[in-house]
Amino acid sequence: MARPRTADGPAREDYARHTDDLMRLSRDPVRLQDPEAVGRRCEEYLALCEQQSMNPTVPGLALALGTTPQEMARHPSQQLVMTYRAVESMSAQMAQDGRIPMAVYIFQAKNWFGYRDQQDVRVTGEVSEASPREVEARYAKVGLVEQGGAARDGRGRGGRRRRSLPD
C-alpha cells in the first residue's frame, strides 16, 4: 500500500514500486486484438494507479499492457479508447487543479491525445495582370525601386547587388 501523497507528491520509492508493478504486468503482455483481456488489464492498471496514489499516464498504460503507445494507437479497441480518454480527462482535471503543471498537460495533450495548436491565417489581396514594366513603374512611383529596376538598397533585379563600372 502506498503512503499518502505529501505536499511534494509521492516519494521516490513510491515511483520505483509503481514502475516495478508495471514491469510485472508487462511481462505478461496482452494481445491488443483481445478486447476482454485489454479491458481487464486497463481496469487493473487504473486500480493500481488509484491504490498507489499515482497519476495514470499513456506510457504507464502501454507498459501495463506490455506494448507501446504507438502500438496501442494501431489497435484501438473500445475498452482501450475509453481508458485512454479516462486518462486524458484525469490529466486535464489535474492540470486545472494545479496537480500537474499546465506545460506538462499541454505536452501530453499534443503528444498523446491528438490536440494541436491551430491558427487561422487568411491571405487577402488582388491578382494583378500587370506586365513586369507596369509593376516596376508602380513600385518606382511609391519609391520602392528606382526607375530601371534597381531597388533602393542598390540591388537590381533578382536581388543581386549591382556593381558599379569604372569610369
Side-chain angles (χ1 to χ4, degrees), residues 82-97:
M82 294 306 292
T83 304
Y84 207 84
R85 293 298 163 217
V87 171
E88 175 185 1
S89 175
M90 292 171 78
S91 293
Q93 191 61 53
M94 287 186 289
Q96 288 178 343
D97 293 345

Side-chain angles (χ1 to χ4, degrees), residues 135-153 155-157:
V135 171
E136 187 177 293
R138 287 182 194 171
Y139 282 140
K141 186 175 181 180
V142 294
L144 293 176
V145 296
E146 297 171 359
Q147 199 65 28
R152 301 246 337 131
D153 65 355
R155 295 183 187 272
R157 291 185 184 155

